[in-house]
């Protein structure tokens, strides 16, 4: 008998797909679904141009360089900390399409620097977050949306730089080297050596310059800046390079210190930079009237009783729109009291010198590691002028503005260096045009970096093309903030550095034919504009 058929096997029930938000048990918690308002927001990257400023002191330039402290490295890190750059892109600038409008050298500052890239700009408050993650010497002004193809370097038509040069640097008589001082002895234009610069790297205000045959008084140039060096100045010093002896008065007694050279007592009023050695190695004063005023006999060098104290000149003066002071005798002088001033005559000459740089030239002599044959050596300078004098903390500066398409390493500092050398009669004006030649190599002086800063990057073509759909890229929006930063960080740094270290004053002593033999190149004539080299060589023989 057959067994009854087995019932058909039922298929196993289909397993339910587990959900992360629901469960089948009433005892377990159910994760609620996030509403649209509670979901974590997802932001899109936006192409923007960032406007910012920085003081370059302590930095090795703008561009990021492994192992060096740079502006770019600090800025990228601040962008990451502020949420503008995600973790995977940290330190990899290509991932966010990074570009900069200009590269600045070590120690050079900027007021209108621009960088671009693709960043997260939401939620609002990116500028405040960036500034909170940056040191005070780097300040973000703001950002503007740009086109997807925008590149801060390629779309920048021109760059404007400013170099602040102290007015005294353009005075042919101030801060001269020892050989020039010796060469001038006995002439109508005798020079005074600034001894503090040569031996201690600090200038003595208002005691260097051309001696005036009609002057019977000497200005005491001591100020607060030089007070810290008074102790070192009390010791008698002799400069072996120029043969200039200086002696000064002791702090504890009223008796003058005696020079070990000749035993001549010299009062403290003329100790700093005013005592020179004559050709017979005796300490003298070039004008007998001057010696009588301070109680020194210039004929035999013996000390006599000191007469009335030296009177400081106190001319009636009034400040005009050019920051100059008009003296009672009708001459214009600077507010600091020096006889040299940047008047109309000096301004016209300096602008004529700077105008040589305008146009397209081969600037291979004004940079490093660039040969004359390199196409990059040819640069176009739109304008170069020095029409303004600015006064910061009592010090006068000539504001040199240069606008060009782009600049090479040290190019602006070398252009300023040669222009100052020409203005001081250390080099002929024709040397500038000679330096543009491809078949000649000239060693150019490089002005200190402290006075140079990037003033603005110009995007004229971009603004004209996209004026109907995008914001204008300019510093006009941030003009007030930029001016405040400039005065607080850049200008104050330039002045304090010059007052404390005398960087420009010390550099001026190097502008001579021994350090720069190419200053003697003047067409077929191997000489300088003033014949100074011939005077020095004749005296050295």
């Amino acid at each position: 008998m057959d067994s009854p058929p087995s019932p058909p096997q039922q298929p196993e029930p289909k397993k339910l797909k587990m959900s992360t938000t629901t469960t089948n048990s009433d005892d377990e918690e159910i994760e609620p679904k996030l509403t649209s308002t509670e979901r974590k927001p997802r932001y899109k990257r936006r192409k923007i141009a960032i406007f910012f400023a920085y003081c370059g002191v302590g930095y090795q330039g703008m561009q990021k360089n492994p192992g060096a402290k740079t502006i770019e490295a600090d800025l990228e890190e601040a962008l990451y900390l502020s949420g503008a750059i995600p973790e995977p892109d940290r330190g990899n600038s290509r991932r966010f399409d990074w570009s900069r409008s200009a590269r600045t050298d070590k120690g050079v500052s900027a007021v209108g620097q621009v960088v671009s890239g693709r960043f997260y700009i939401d939620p609002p408050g990116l500028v405040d977050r960036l500034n909170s993650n940056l040191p005070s010497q780097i300040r973000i002004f703001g950002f503007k949306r740009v086109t997807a193809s925008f590149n801060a370097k390629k779309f920048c038509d021109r760059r404007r730089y400013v170099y602040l040069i102290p007015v005294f640097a353009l005075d042919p008589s101030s801060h001269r080297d020892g050989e020039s001082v010796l060469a001038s002895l006995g002439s109508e234009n005798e020079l005074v050596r600034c001894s503090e610069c040569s031996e201690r790297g600090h200038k003595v205000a208002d005691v260097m310059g051309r001696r005036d045959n009609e002057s019977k008084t000497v200005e005491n140039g001591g100020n607060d800046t030089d007070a810290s060096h008074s102790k070192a100045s009390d010791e008698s010093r002799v400069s072996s390079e120029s043969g200039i002896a200086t002696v000064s008065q002791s702090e504890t007694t009223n008796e003058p210190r005696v020079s070990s050279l000749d035993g001549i007592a010299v009062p403290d009023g003329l100790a700093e930079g005013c005592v020179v050695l004559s050709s017979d190695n005796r300490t003298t004063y070039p004008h007998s009237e001057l010696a009588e005023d301070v109680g020194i006999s210039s004929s035999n060098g013996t000390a006599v009783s000191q007469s009335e104290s030296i009177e400081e000149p106190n001319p009636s003066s009034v400040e005009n729109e050019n920051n100059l002071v008009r003296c009672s005798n009708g001459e214009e002088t600077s507010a600091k009291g020096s006889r040299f001033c940047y008047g109309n005559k000096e301004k016209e000459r300096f602008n004529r010198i700077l105008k040589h740089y305008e146009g397209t030239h081969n600037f291979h002599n004004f940079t490093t590691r660039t040969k004359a044959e390199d196409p990059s050596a040819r640069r176009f300078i739109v304008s170069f002028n020095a029409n303004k004098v600015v006064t910061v903390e009592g010090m006068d500066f000539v504001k040199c503005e240069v606008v060009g398409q782009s600049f090479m390493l040290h190019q602006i500092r070398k252009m300023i260096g040669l222009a100052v050398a020409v203005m001081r009669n250390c080099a002929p004006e024709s040397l500038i045009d000679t330096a543009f030649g491809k078949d000649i190599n000239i060693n150019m002086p490089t002005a200190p970096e402290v006075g140079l800063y990037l003033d603005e990057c110009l995007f004229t073509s971009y603004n004209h093309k996209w004026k109907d759909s995008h914001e204008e890229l300019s510093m006009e929006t941030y003009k007030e903030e930029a001016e405040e930063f400039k005065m607080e960080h850049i200008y104050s740094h330039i002045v304090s550095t010059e007052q404390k270290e005398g960087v420009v004053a010390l550099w001026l002593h190097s502008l001579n034919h021994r350090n720069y033999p190419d200053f003697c190149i003047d067409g077929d004539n191997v000489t300088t504009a003033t014949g100074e080299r011939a005077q020095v060589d004749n005296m050295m023989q």
Side-chain angles (χ1 to χ4, degrees):
M1 186 174 178
D2 295 337
S3 58
S6 58
Q9 188 175 2
Q10 296 293 330
E12 294 182 1
K14 188 176 181 179
K15 293 183 179 180
L16 296 176
K17 192 172 183 180
M18 300 299 294
S19 172
T20 58
T21 59
T22 61
T23 62
N24 292 330
S25 173
D26 295 334
D27 297 332
E28 295 179 3
E29 295 181 359
I30 300 177
E31 183 178 350
K33 293 183 178 181
L34 293 175
T35 63
S36 59
T37 58
E38 294 175 332
R39 290 176 182 173
K40 186 177 181 180
R42 298 185 62 182
Y43 302 117
K44 288 186 63 176
R45 295 195 190 189
R46 309 291 184 182
K47 194 66 171 293
I48 62 172
I50 302 176
F51 291 77
F52 68 105
Y54 55 84
C55 180
V57 58
Y59 284 90
Q60 303 295 313
M62 169 66 186
Q63 188 174 6
K64 188 166 62 174
N65 189 12
K69 182 178 176 61
T70 63
I71 300 292
E72 202 168 82
D74 281 8
L75 182 56
E76 283 190 18
E77 184 65 14
L79 286 165
Y80 163 73
L81 296 175
S82 303
I85 297 175
E87 175 68 33
D89 295 352
R90 185 181 186 183
N92 189 354
S93 58
R94 291 185 177 181
R95 298 287 297 271
F96 44 87
D97 198 16
W98 177 268
S99 66
R100 72 195 71 81
S101 292
R103 292 183 294 180
T104 53
D105 300 341
K106 172 185 175 183
V108 177
S109 303
V111 176
Q113 178 67 285
V114 180
V115 296
S116 64
R118 304 182 69 87
F119 307 110
Y120 294 113
I121 62 176
D122 297 314
L126 176 61
V127 174
D128 293 335
R129 294 196 300 273
L130 284 172
N131 286 326
S132 65
N133 291 309
L134 286 169
S136 60
Q137 67 184 97
I138 304 178
R139 191 55 40 201
I140 306 296
F141 297 139
F143 63 86
K144 296 183 179 181
R145 292 281 301 275
V146 293
T147 61
S149 61
F150 181 82
N151 183 289
K153 178 182 178 181
K154 295 179 181 179
F155 282 57
C156 183
D157 300 312
R158 299 171 181 177
R159 287 96 176 159
R160 178 169 64 240
Y161 282 83
V162 170
Y163 193 98
L164 293 186
I165 186 74
V167 170
F168 67 78
L170 305 181
D171 182 1
S173 305
S174 68
H175 298 279
R176 298 304 298 263
D177 62 291
E179 292 181 349
S180 299
V181 175
L182 288 176
S184 70
L185 294 179
S187 67
E188 295 181 355
N189 300 319
E190 286 195 340
L191 303 173
V192 178
R193 177 63 183 273
C194 177
S195 60
E196 288 294 321
C197 280
S198 61
E199 298 197 3
R200 303 195 62 81
H202 296 272
K203 67 179 184 297
V204 180
D206 302 331
V207 299
M208 58 283 182
R210 193 182 306 277
R211 289 194 184 278
D212 188 357
N213 290 330
E214 299 179 358
S215 175
K216 295 186 179 181
T217 59
V218 177
E219 297 181 8
N220 186 357
N223 54 23
D224 294 339
T225 305
D226 301 312
S228 60
H229 310 292
S230 59
K231 183 176 181 180
S233 300
D234 283 338
E235 298 178 2
S236 300
R237 298 185 301 273
V238 179
S239 172
S240 59
E241 175 191 5
S242 60
I244 297 173
T246 63
V247 294
S248 59
Q249 194 170 355
S250 174
E251 288 182 350
T252 57
T253 66
N254 293 325
E255 297 179 358
R257 297 287 297 270
V258 179
S259 168
S260 58
L261 267 182
D262 46 29
I264 299 176
V266 183
D268 187 53
L270 293 180
E272 297 179 350
C274 290
V275 184
V276 298
L277 288 183
S278 61
S279 57
D280 58 354
N281 290 332
R282 296 189 60 83
T283 303
T284 62
Y285 296 95
H287 307 292
S288 59
E289 300 91 347
L290 180 63
E292 293 174 358
D293 282 345
V294 299
I296 293 293
S297 172
S298 60
S299 58
N300 54 20
T302 58
V304 296
S305 60
Q306 190 170 354
S307 61
E308 297 181 0
S309 60
I310 303 174
E311 295 182 0
E312 294 284 349
N314 186 25
S316 58
S317 60
V318 57
E319 193 169 345
N320 57 26
E321 65 276 7
N322 294 324
N323 293 323
L324 300 177
V325 173
R326 185 170 295 278
C327 304
S328 57
N329 60 3
E331 296 180 354
E332 285 188 344
T333 181
S334 67
K336 289 180 67 64
S338 173
R339 282 190 167 274
F340 178 84
C341 69
Y342 192 67
N344 292 332
K345 183 179 179 181
E346 291 76 14
K347 182 190 300 184
E348 181 180 354
R349 184 189 176 205
F350 196 39
N351 276 284
R352 186 185 72 242
I353 294 171
L354 297 177
K355 196 172 182 63
H356 285 274
Y357 295 117
E358 294 181 359
T360 302
H361 303 286
N362 192 313
F363 287 94
H364 71 99
N365 280 313
F366 294 87
T367 185
T368 57
R369 301 188 299 272
T370 300
K371 297 181 180 179
E373 297 78 16
D374 295 343
S376 61
R378 292 186 64 82
R379 300 290 167 126
F380 175 64
I381 304 298
V382 179
S383 63
F384 206 161
N385 61 72
N387 294 323
K388 299 179 181 178
V389 175
V390 296
T391 303
V392 185
E393 298 181 13
M395 183 174 289
D396 295 334
F397 293 87
V398 178
K399 188 176 183 180
C400 306
E401 296 185 3
V402 54
V403 179
Q405 288 182 336
S406 59
F407 299 93
M408 296 178 289
L409 180 66
H410 302 328
Q411 180 183 345
I412 298 176
R413 292 166 58 192
K414 285 181 176 291
M415 289 193 296
I416 290 290
L418 181 57
V420 171
V422 173
M423 190 71 178
R424 292 170 57 84
N425 301 323
C426 299
E429 188 173 334
S430 60
L431 183 61
I432 299 178
D433 293 328
T434 303
F436 295 144
K438 289 185 177 181
D439 55 348
I440 186 170
N441 292 321
I442 299 177
N443 181 27
M444 295 295 182
T446 306
E449 73 276 2
V450 64
L452 179 64
Y453 66 88
L454 172 64
D455 190 50
E456 187 175 2
C457 298
L458 306 175
F459 301 89
T460 307
S461 300
Y462 172 86
N463 290 332
H464 179 73
K465 183 176 181 179
W466 300 98
K467 61 181 178 180
D468 296 331
S469 58
H470 288 77
E471 291 183 271
E472 181 185 57
L473 299 183
S474 71
M475 285 294 296
E476 189 64 28
T477 309
Y478 317 108
K479 186 176 181 179
E480 294 182 2
E481 297 176 71
E483 191 67 24
E484 182 180 349
F485 181 90
K486 184 195 306 180
M487 297 301 299
E488 181 179 355
H489 293 277
I490 299 179
Y491 280 16
S492 61
H493 169 64
I494 294 174
V495 173
S496 63
T497 301
E498 186 59 34
Q499 289 177 342
K500 294 177 182 178
E501 303 177 17
V503 175
V504 175
L506 184 61
W507 170 71
L508 293 176
H509 286 291
S510 69
L511 298 181
N512 54 65
H513 79 280
R514 290 194 177 276
N515 290 327
Y516 300 98
D518 296 332
F519 282 174
C520 302
I521 299 176
D522 183 14
D524 298 330
N525 299 322
V526 185
T527 181
T528 62
T530 59
E532 180 180 304
R533 185 185 183 188
Q535 287 182 321
V536 174
D537 289 344
N538 292 335
M539 186 178 59
M540 296 291 290
Q541 293 176 353

